[in-house]
Amino acid sequence: MARPDDEEGAAVAPGHPLAKGYLPLPRGAPAGKESVEPQNGPKAGTFPVNGAPRDSLAAASGVLGGPQTPLAAEEETQARLLPAGAGAETPGAESTPLPRTALSPRRFVVLLIFSLYSLVNAFQWIQYSIISNVFGGFYGVTLLHIDWLSMVYMVAYVPLIFPATWLLDTRGLRLTALLGSGLNCLGAWIKCGSVQQHLFWVTMLGQCLCSVAQVFILGLPSRIASVWFGPKEVSTACATAVLGNQLGTAVGFLLPPVLVPNTQNDTNLLAYNISTMFYGTSAVATLLFILTAIGHSSKARLPPPVTESSRLGLSLEAVSQNQLQAAIISLEEALGRIQRDSEKDNRHPNSTRSDRVKGRGGFAT
């Protein structure tokens, strides 16, 4: 059974590297004499056509005894501009060294820390509404006021999402993560000073800071996944980061009724229970802020492998280099044809215009 083309070209003498899996043969070279493609790039006659080099097509047609049909100008141009296939490299990208990449084990710690402070932020969003009757009776306000403690998250998200994404794109992941975790921690501590019946505005102030923090937090999952994780881990990492926020909402439905039962007859006990919930949330948020500052203190020694979007950018850059190289080759060939035609006219001054046109492959008119 015949071997594929890439296996047939694999039997090469030592010291003769393959060029894209092929060992190109120059036109008219005798059998047994092989020339290796230079390392600085392919020659004009060795660009692949339809997944195989033109020299291989010419050799195959010579073996079968068929006529060797010259390539049309359009096909020759496409062969220069386009790579051989979806997985083939472009000629201009061969000399570009690929950067060293590696995955840092710290990426799992960064992901876990983010998921936890996203959980705490979502917990603070729903901790009032789930026991709105208790907080309404404690602060002496209507249920609409208690509902605004949750709705402020949505109100803050709409105008602040654009500055937050701009900051993430321009200043990077570390600053955005510190802002999200730090504002979440600060808002939790402000709410600790609101455990008195006349200080509803203080708890509203702390909740507003937490709502600003969630604008920075919600934009981070995809960036953390793309910066710290490899191409095969991006989807899982992003889903895990988003899961932390959903778990925070679930915990916000579960813990507040347990930590702050409805003891309207005993105001002091109610204040103590609310204080316990607020201080516990603040302690956890502070610990996570410190871990965020440590976890994002420095970058990984080597960047992760390129993702599909990065690889697409590199491919487009290589194609642009290839187009420039093909344009230079086409210009050189055109100048060579003009020079040959002028030399021919000097040798045969009596030649007619029709002969010159036919000599160029055209039709006489």
Side-chain angles (χ1 to χ4, degrees), residues 330-349:
S330 300
L331 181 59
E332 291 177 353
E333 292 179 352
L335 293 177
R337 285 196 298 267
I338 294 174
Q339 185 178 3
R340 288 194 300 269
D341 291 343
S342 62
E343 292 176 355
K344 182 179 179 181
D345 291 341
N346 293 334
R347 289 196 302 267
H348 305 283

Side-chain angles (χ1 to χ4, degrees), residues 213-302:
Q214 64 104 23
V215 178
F216 297 100
I217 292 174
L218 293 182
L220 291 180
S222 59
R223 179 60 64 91
I224 290 177
S226 62
V227 169
W228 285 92
F229 290 84
K232 296 182 179 180
E233 301 173 337
V234 169
S235 299
T236 303
C238 189
T240 304
V242 174
L243 179 63
N245 195 271
Q246 306 301 317
L247 289 177
T249 304
V251 174
F253 277 97
L254 176 64
L255 282 185
V258 176
L259 297 176
V260 187
N262 189 3
T263 57
Q264 297 286 349
N265 298 328
D266 193 346
T267 306
N268 294 328
L269 179 60
L270 181 60
Y272 175 79
N273 292 332
I274 294 176
S275 177
T276 300
M277 183 176 66
F278 284 169
Y279 275 104
T281 305
S282 302
V284 175
T286 303
L287 176 62
L288 292 174
F289 173 69
I290 296 174
L291 292 178
T292 302
I294 297 175
H296 290 278
S297 60
S298 60
K299 296 181 180 179
R301 181 171 299 178
L302 293 175

